[in-house]
Structures are given as structure tokens and as C-alpha cells.
Amino acid sequence: MEEKKLGLGSVIATGVGLIVATSCLLSLGQGTSMIGVTIVISMLIAFSLNVLTALSISELNALMSDLTGGLAQYTLACMGPFVTVIAMVGGYIVCNTIVGSAECAMFGNTLKSVFPQVGIPGSVYCIVLLILLIIVNLKGVDMFAKIQNIVAYGLILSLVIMGVMGCLKLGTGTTVTQPAVISSKFKDITSLCGLAFFLFIGCEYIVPISSKVKNARRNIPLGMVLSLAIVMVMQTILVFGFKNYTLWSDLGASATPHVLYGTLLLGNVGTMWMAIVSILAVTSSINTIIASLAYICEGMAKINLLPSIFMKKNKKGAPYVGILVIGGSMIIINATGLSTTSQLSLLILTGCVFWMITYIIAHMNVLILRKRLPKAPRTFKVPFGSVLPIIGIIGIVWMIYNISADSAMRLKIYEVTGITFTILAVYSIIWIKYVMKIKLFKPLSVKEVMAMENDLYYINHQKAYKIKADKNKATVM
Amino acid sequence: MTLSKVEIITSMAKVVALQESFGRFGITGMTVTQVMGCGVQLGRQEYEDEKSKKHKMPKLLAKQIVMIVLPTEDVSKFLEFVKKELYTGHIGDGKIFISPVDNVVRARTGEEGLEALVEGEL
């Protein structure tokens, strides 16, 4: 029997590790500079909707547990391969690779701004970091868990300490006097909900590691919700810290608002500290992205949605093809300088919309399985019947509508999303009809999807197809 | 008070889990039998192709039957627990059979019904 290695601490670390990232700190700074501390209300709305998503994902995990592909496998059993390919390839793999690359670029820019005298381009920092993380992930899950814990707890502690210092005005820098609230209009608060949503996305990355988690029935849902709650508290503290030490206008104008805050709070010490926090944040999130996406790719390959090469593992049990492809793509994106263009913010928000669509699908999966398997025992069930998943769906649709306060930007995001979906739809149709040779919208049975998790499933079914093909050939001859 | 018999067919690993948790339902005894058998899958592994004619003859797998007798009023609560405990979502999680028990007799004392199941003074 496989040893369960990860406890609740590691589960929370994985969740917080991806949720908190440099780009989140950037978004937090920008959002706060627009309306002041009332951003906390936007955050609270986004937090609540993300908790609903976490609950839905926990129910899906309880019903179809220990699946490495997570949402891909749930969706395959609920809506069939077409939606699965589009949602998972677009909503997860492509989107996360881009967001991760952007994250890396922000890390490079932060280091470049902290050490301008060194003269090393930001992309060099990014590539070195990516290579290191690829090697670490190739070492297998033990190393992943160790790094994740150290990095996530270090990050949480640093942000909480600096946030509390700012709140209590304990910094060595000069405090500023400014109104705490710039706007308390409902419209202004809701227009930032999309941005605030970005501060919390990613807790579902816990799902692919559920097979390695001790007492997963309790630790997976609890870990997800606690990760979100920790992030909510941590970022709220930071918002009040910003208010005491950074002028709203400076905060909004800065490309690295977290470093600005550190500098104004503690001088050079604060600058260095925030640089370290950035390193921790990026290391944590990129590490989680590479590891989890590689597992998701493995899971998708198991159910034939991606080529079988993604199932290959090295001696340490790491799905090395996925790790190399995801990590390598990020290196290429950073090396070509794409990460440094102004289009990145647009891409992040577009990625956010993809992510939201995936969350809508997660809620829909819960409703479909409730109807299809009403009597199946669930060790975790979202309370109040279908009410919470439906609220989740409506809330996320509303967030997509409010993804940006700028209507031109919003239209651009919808346009990019539409084009990407179209490309993915074409890929999906070709792959499903001509490679998988199954119906586009016919869901697979839950038992079939569960069986696909077994490595022998693929070997066995390949054999079956081969026998069938050989017989056909013999008949023709 | 009426009694019911619950027979659970499952794997050895699940028997240990059930054994550890039975105390909380006030169960006074259990009987575990090692058996061979198959269900609708005819002993085929879940990863095997359903259309494959590799196993025409049913393949018998090693399983355990856990037999428990308990008051009928406790059965539904007990079943909820057992279903969750057995559940993995994979084929082979097991089956649960519930049937009425006409009577139980403790041979040593002649006690009948629930009295024969609980620890008596005689």
C-alpha cells in the first residue's frame, strides 16, 4: 500500500503556495490604491465565492477521490470529453503556464529593481529560478513537500509580520495621513471583485495531491478552506498596512507596490525583506504550478485527453514529461521577453476568466452528479442542497461581467477569451473525433473514469484496440 | 425488538477499518468469513477492457464477509457509516446485504432475541 506522506500542514502550504503570488501582491496594491480599504469588501465577496468553489471541489473529490487529473476527470464523467478538453487545456494548462510566466517576469523585475547596480536582465533571474524548480520537481514529491512547507510558511509569516507592523505603525519609516476610504460606492467595490478574485484562485491545486494526503476526507476540504481564510486575513492586514505607509497615488503608480511598501515601512531592510518575500512567493507558486500541472497532465493522459507520453515517470516517481514541458514553456516565454510586454496584465485577467469558467464547470459537475448519483455515499457534501453551487455559478458569472472596470479592457478580454476558446474547440473536436474516436458530449461513467486512474488501464485498452485492429486487418486480407 | 442481519462483502483492508469503528454503534459481536467470489464484473479488474473476452469464465477473487446482527432501528445509521467507510468509487468496493432475523438464541443460557446478543448477567 502506498504510504500517505502529506498532512494538513502540507495541504495548506500547497493551497497558500499557489494562491499567494507576487502578482497577487501587485493586484492587491493596485486594487487598494483605487478605492482604499474598502477593497476588503471586494475581497470578502471574492473569498466567499472561492470558498463555495472549494466546497464543490471537495464534494467532487469525496465522490471521485484520489484522481490525479482533478477537475478534468470530474468533468469527463459529467459533461463528456469536449468540455473537459476545452476547460482543462484552456482553463488550466495554457492559462497557468502564461500566468506562471508572468509571475516569473514580475519576480525578475522585482530583483532587477532591488539590485539595479548588478545589471543582470530580469529574464536571467527567471530562467535560473525555473531551471532550479524543474530540477527540484524532478526529484519527486518528498522534495516538493519540503520546499513547499518552508516557502509557504516563510511567506505567510513575512507578510503577516510586515502587515501587522504597518497596521500598528511600528515601522521605522514615516507614516502617512490619508483617508482610509477613497470610495465606498457599491459600483466601485463590485468593479474590483474580478481583480479580488485573482487574489484567491488556486486552492484546487490541492486535489491532485489528495492520493498522498493522510486522512484526505478531512484534510482536503479543511485544507482548501483554511488556505483561503489564511490568505484573506493576511491580505486584509496588508491593506491596512498600505494605508499607514504608502500614499494611495504612489501605490497605484508603482509596478512593484509590495517592494514600495517594504521600503516605506522599514527602509532598506524592508526593501530586502520584500525582495525575499517575492522570491518566496514566486518560488512557492511556480513550484506548485509546475508540480500540479504535471500531475494534471498525467491525469489527463490517463483518460486519453492528452498524449500518453505525459504518463511517463522517472525513478523518483515524478511525471517528468509534464514537468519538462510546463517548465520548459515558461523558460521559453520568459526568454523571448513575451513576459515583459504590457499585454501580460491583459493575459492575466484573461487567464482569470478561463479560471472562473473552470470553477463554473466545477459547480455544474456537483449538480450533475447529485442528479446522476443521488445515493452515492459522499464523505463530504456541500450543505443546503443545490443552493450553494447555484449561488457559486451566479456569483462567478457576475465576476466575469465585472472582470475589469474599464469597458474597453473588458471587451478585449472577452475577445481574447472567445478566440482562445475557438482555437481550443477546433483542437478538441479534432482530438476527440480522430484520436479518441468517441462522442464529443457523451459523459463517461464514473466507474470508467475511476478505472482510468490505474496505470494498467491504458496498457490494457491499448492491447484491446490492437487486437481489434489486427482482426480487422486479417478480415481484409 | 426486531433484529436485522447485515452481511458486508468487502476486502481485507476494509475489514480492519470496519473493525476499528464498530464499537461506536454498540455492536456486540461480528463474524468474519474468508470467501471466494465475484460480482457482475465476473472477477475482471476495473482497468480491463469490458469488451475483452479474455475472461469468459468468472474469476473468483478473495473477499471477506463481515456478518453482524443488530437492532433493526440502528440499521440505517449503521449503513450510512458502512457505505462511507467502504466507498472509494472504484469497482470492488463491496456489497451490503440486509435481512431480518427471526430469533437469536444463546446456547449456553437459552436467552433469546437482543438478550442473547448483549452481555448478560447469567
Side-chain angles (χ1 to χ4, degrees):
Chain A
M1 196 183 287
E2 192 184 346
E3 193 192 344
K4 304 270 185 182
K5 297 169 184 173
L6 308 175
L8 181 63
S10 297
V11 174
I12 295 172
T14 306
V16 174
L18 188 87
I19 297 168
V20 178
T22 316
S23 49
C24 287
L25 299 175
L26 180 79
S27 307
L28 184 68
Q30 286 184 336
T32 310
S33 72
M34 289 180 202
I35 60 170
V37 296
T38 35
I39 184 80
V40 174
I41 301 171
S42 312
M43 284 162 56
L44 208 57
I45 296 169
F47 164 75
S48 308
L49 286 170
N50 273 282
V51 167
L52 294 184
T53 307
L55 295 180
S56 279
I57 291 171
S58 298
E59 180 173 329
L60 293 169
N61 185 54
L63 199 59
M64 297 171 71
S65 56
D66 294 351
L67 297 180
T68 46
L71 275 171
Q73 276 143 310
Y74 310 143
T75 310
L76 190 62
C78 294
M79 300 190 202
F82 181 74
V83 179
T84 307
V85 170
I86 288 187
M88 298 313 297
V89 178
Y92 268 88
I93 299 171
V94 174
C95 150
N96 273 293
T97 307
I98 292 168
V99 172
S101 304
E103 182 68 19
C104 235
M106 286 174 192
F107 160 78
N109 290 343
T110 305
L111 277 185
K112 203 179 157 190
S113 68
V114 174
F115 306 110
Q117 68 280 10
V118 181
I120 297 173
S123 58
V124 175
Y125 292 117
C126 305
I127 292 168
V128 170
L129 177 75
L130 281 167
I131 291 170
L132 285 175
L133 288 179
I134 289 171
I135 294 169
V136 164
N137 276 289
L138 288 173
K139 294 277 182 187
V141 72
D142 280 338
M143 188 62 98
F144 163 60
K146 280 174 198 165
I147 284 189
Q148 201 69 36
N149 282 341
I150 296 165
V151 163
Y153 290 134
L155 170 67
I156 294 163
L157 202 64
S158 300
L159 290 176
V160 168
I161 291 170
M162 292 192 86
V164 170
M165 286 180 82
C167 282
L168 301 176
K169 300 183 180 176
L170 298 175
T172 54
T174 315
T175 54
V176 295
T177 309
Q178 60 185 347
V181 176
I182 300 170
S183 171
S184 56
K185 286 180 192 165
F186 183 70
K187 199 184 166 191
D188 291 338
I189 291 168
T190 54
S191 71
L192 287 175
C193 280
L195 184 76
F197 194 81
F198 185 60
L199 305 178
F200 297 102
I201 51 179
C203 70
E204 72 280 10
Y205 274 87
I206 289 168
V207 171
I209 60 163
S210 64
S211 60
K212 297 178 180 67
V213 174
K214 284 182 276 189
N215 194 7
R217 289 177 186 180
R218 170 183 161 271
N219 288 343
I220 293 293
L222 193 61
M224 281 192 195
V225 175
L226 285 178
S227 302
L228 291 168
I230 288 170
V231 171
M232 176 70 205
V233 171
M234 199 167 71
Q235 295 188 340
T236 302
I237 293 171
L238 270 179
V239 166
F240 285 95
F242 286 159
K243 182 242 155 199
N244 288 339
Y245 281 90
T246 51
L247 284 172
W248 297 134
S249 54
D250 292 347
L251 193 67
S254 174
T256 50
H258 53 297
V259 178
L260 175 74
Y261 172 63
T263 309
L264 295 173
L265 181 75
L266 294 169
N268 284 336
V269 177
T271 311
M272 291 309 292
W273 194 348
M274 265 303 172
I276 292 167
V277 168
S278 292
I279 292 168
L280 291 171
V282 173
T283 311
S284 170
S285 56
I286 303 291
N287 188 39
T288 312
I289 287 174
I290 294 174
S292 301
L293 283 187
Y295 277 113
I296 287 176
C297 286
E298 184 198 348
M300 289 184 73
K302 278 179 183 170
I303 54 178
N304 283 333
L305 296 181
L306 282 178
S308 59
I309 195 168
F310 284 98
M311 284 196 288
K312 290 195 172 186
K313 290 186 177 180
N314 64 12
K315 285 178 187 171
K316 299 278 184 183
Y320 68 93
V321 177
I323 292 170
L324 291 173
V325 168
I326 302 294
S329 304
M330 287 182 184
I331 289 176
I332 292 167
I333 292 171
N334 277 280
T336 54
L338 182 65
S339 307
T340 56
T341 64
S342 59
Q343 287 293 309
L344 272 174
S345 59
L346 175 71
L347 284 175
I348 287 174
L349 282 175
T350 309
C352 218
V353 171
F354 271 80
W355 220 314
M356 290 175 181
I357 292 168
T358 313
Y359 282 0
I360 291 173
I361 291 170
H363 286 304
M364 288 169 76
N365 287 342
V366 170
L367 298 175
I368 291 169
L369 287 175
R370 287 262 181 101
K371 198 169 165 53
R372 198 178 296 161
L373 294 169
K375 289 182 180 174
R378 291 159 169 84
T379 50
F380 178 83
K381 198 169 182 179
V382 183
F384 311 119
S386 302
V387 175
L388 295 184
I390 290 171
I391 292 175
I393 292 170
I394 296 168
I396 295 171
V397 169
W398 175 71
M399 288 228 189
I400 292 174
Y401 178 72
N402 287 298
I403 191 69
S404 171
D406 177 10
S407 58
M409 171 78 123
R410 196 163 59 225
L411 286 175
K412 187 76 184 164
I413 291 168
Y414 294 158
E415 191 185 321
V416 174
T417 308
I419 292 169
T420 315
F421 264 114
T422 309
I423 294 168
L424 283 172
V426 171
Y427 159 77
S428 184
I429 289 168
I430 293 171
W431 181 263
I432 294 163
K433 288 198 85 161
Y434 299 103
V435 180
M436 294 174 74
K437 294 180 181 173
I438 54 174
K439 288 180 182 171
L440 291 172
F441 295 100
K442 191 183 175 192
L444 273 68
S445 66
V446 171
K447 65 177 181 182
E448 181 83 2
V449 175
M450 297 298 288
M452 284 173 166
E453 187 64 18
N454 195 314
D455 290 338
L456 291 171
Y457 176 90
Y458 186 77
I459 298 166
N460 209 277
H461 280 67
Q462 284 297 96
K463 270 184 196 166
Y465 292 139
K466 197 171 179 295
I467 291 165
K468 208 189 286 176
D470 289 346
K471 273 186 181 171
N472 289 343
K473 209 186 283 177
T475 317
V476 172
M477 283 170 79
Chain B
M1 179 183 282
T2 57
L3 298 172
S4 292
K5 181 167 74 173
V6 177
E7 287 168 297
I8 306 157
I9 303 179
T10 189
S11 62
M12 190 62 208
K14 291 289 180 184
V15 172
V16 177
L18 291 174
Q19 205 179 330
E20 285 171 356
S21 318
F22 276 175
R24 76 176 81 154
F25 291 93
I27 286 161
T28 55
M30 61 189 283
T31 306
V32 179
T33 319
Q34 293 187 353
V35 292
M36 300 290 285
C38 67
V40 71
Q41 297 291 322
L42 303 179
R44 200 176 52 234
Q45 297 295 319
E46 64 173 1
Y47 53 78
E48 289 177 36
D49 184 18
E50 280 191 27
K51 289 164 194 161
S52 161
K53 293 183 179 169
K54 203 173 168 183
H55 300 299
K56 269 185 180 174
M57 197 172 77
K59 188 177 161 187
L60 301 179
L61 304 171
K63 293 280 175 182
Q64 317 289 315
I65 294 183
V66 180
M67 194 272 276
I68 285 154
V69 176
L70 72 168
T72 307
E73 62 189 35
D74 295 339
V75 169
S76 53
K77 199 178 165 192
F78 176 66
L79 279 182
E80 278 310 303
F81 164 77
V82 173
K83 280 195 285 181
K84 283 182 182 169
E85 201 59 45
L86 297 188
Y87 185 82
T88 66
H90 290 275
I91 285 170
D93 276 350
K95 291 259 188 321
I96 306 167
F97 298 89
I98 304 117
S99 51
V101 173
D102 289 342
N103 203 357
V104 184
V105 179
R106 180 178 275 150
R108 183 173 60 83
T109 61
E111 288 166 302
E112 294 186 13
L114 188 63
E115 283 184 349
L117 292 175
V118 298
E119 198 168 356
E121 291 175 6
L122 299 173

